[in-house]
Amino acid sequence: MAYPEEDPPEVSILLLGDAGVGKSLFLSRLTLGRDAPPDAKLPRLRDLDQPYPFNIRMYNRPYRFEFSDTASPTNYTLLRPSVIIMCYSIGDPESLESLQKTWKNVVETHFNYDESMPVIVLGLKRDVRSKADYGGNVNEKRQFVYPQEALRIAQEMRCDRYCECSALTGELCREVFEDIAKTAAMTTTSNGGKTQGTECSVM
């Protein structure tokens, strides 16, 4: 079946998470496209320009993905996303705990209109883990989150996917965007975008 190029399906995607976890930087990286070099300069985005549109082609048809985050000029609780991405900083264990204590409740309270809506957990600032100097001293506070720890929490929250990347270095950003794009595209089908159990995209 042919789809008109000028009328691609639109999928609204909302990023939730504490301030400072890296949502804006991740969106900035996405604007460069999937083939941008890791050292490309990241543009500064304006909150007033949300939602940020991304036009791509998948499965021989065009799609338009519209990304917003908690700084949206429209109160984010009033948005009607088709996909939710709960974000935390790998360099801030408390921001992962906040997904359980705060943001899961936000999702269940304000976005419970669609039980088939996929929810993704995204770990940002992956580069922090490789830079961390953690000697294992029991009195030393760990400054990063292990991937298996975050995956366990994503599974406990019954989220559909877990993935992580570094917007600063570009590490795994292409793979994460492809995961998000596939999930978003599936929401336009009769089967919806939910998966059977949590999938993990960590390399």
Side-chain angles (χ1 to χ4, degrees):
M1 179 178 180
Y3 295 91
E5 292 288 334
E6 67 276 5
D7 190 26
E10 296 182 356
V11 182
S12 175
I13 303 171
L14 176 61
L15 276 65
L16 299 177
D18 291 352
V21 298
K23 299 186 297 294
S24 296
L25 198 65
F26 174 69
L27 291 172
S28 180
R29 169 67 67 176
L30 292 188
T31 64
L32 298 179
R34 290 180 287 181
D35 298 320
D39 58 351
K41 183 178 180 180
L42 300 179
R44 177 180 288 273
L45 304 181
R46 298 193 323 152
D47 292 335
L48 291 177
D49 292 335
Q50 294 190 36
Y52 307 117
F54 296 86
N55 296 302
I56 71 167
R57 189 172 187 85
M58 297 177 61
Y59 311 122
N60 294 319
R61 64 180 295 186
Y63 291 88
R64 180 182 177 89
F65 301 143
E66 296 189 339
F67 285 79
S68 300
D69 66 17
T70 50
S72 169
T74 300
N75 188 308
Y76 72 88
T77 62
L78 301 179
L79 299 176
R80 303 276 288 184
S82 298
V83 179
I84 287 179
I85 304 176
M86 294 202 295
C87 304
Y88 79 96
S89 168
I90 289 170
D92 181 6
E94 290 184 1
S95 68
L96 178 60
E97 293 178 11
S98 184
L99 295 189
Q100 287 183 300
K101 296 178 179 178
T102 301
W103 295 104
K104 184 176 185 291
N105 183 62
V106 169
V107 172
E108 294 174 345
T109 302
H110 296 285
F111 305 105
N112 58 4
Y113 51 83
D114 183 1
E115 292 184 356
S116 66
M117 182 192 304
V119 178
I120 298 171
V121 173
L122 173 59
L124 297 169
K125 302 184 180 181
R126 178 182 163 95
D127 55 288
V128 171
R129 188 186 293 134
S130 62
K131 297 175 184 176
D133 182 16
Y134 177 62
N137 188 318
V138 294
N139 296 318
E140 182 180 350
K141 185 177 180 181
R142 178 161 51 90
Q143 296 298 321
F144 64 91
V145 176
Y146 289 108
Q148 60 269 27
E149 178 184 2
L151 176 60
R152 174 181 57 79
I153 288 178
Q155 291 172 330
E156 289 176 356
M157 294 192 296
R158 301 184 183 227
C159 295
D160 297 275
R161 287 182 181 271
Y162 173 75
C163 45
E164 57 181 50
C165 65
S166 168
L168 183 64
T169 66
E171 181 187 13
L172 292 182
C173 283
R174 180 187 178 94
E175 291 82 355
V176 166
F177 180 73
E178 289 177 354
D179 272 352
I180 293 172
K182 289 175 183 176
T183 300
M186 288 299 294
T187 64
T188 67
T189 69
S190 58
N191 292 330
K194 288 192 75 66
T195 59
Q196 297 297 318
T198 303
E199 297 183 8
C200 181
S201 300
V202 181
M203 299 179 184

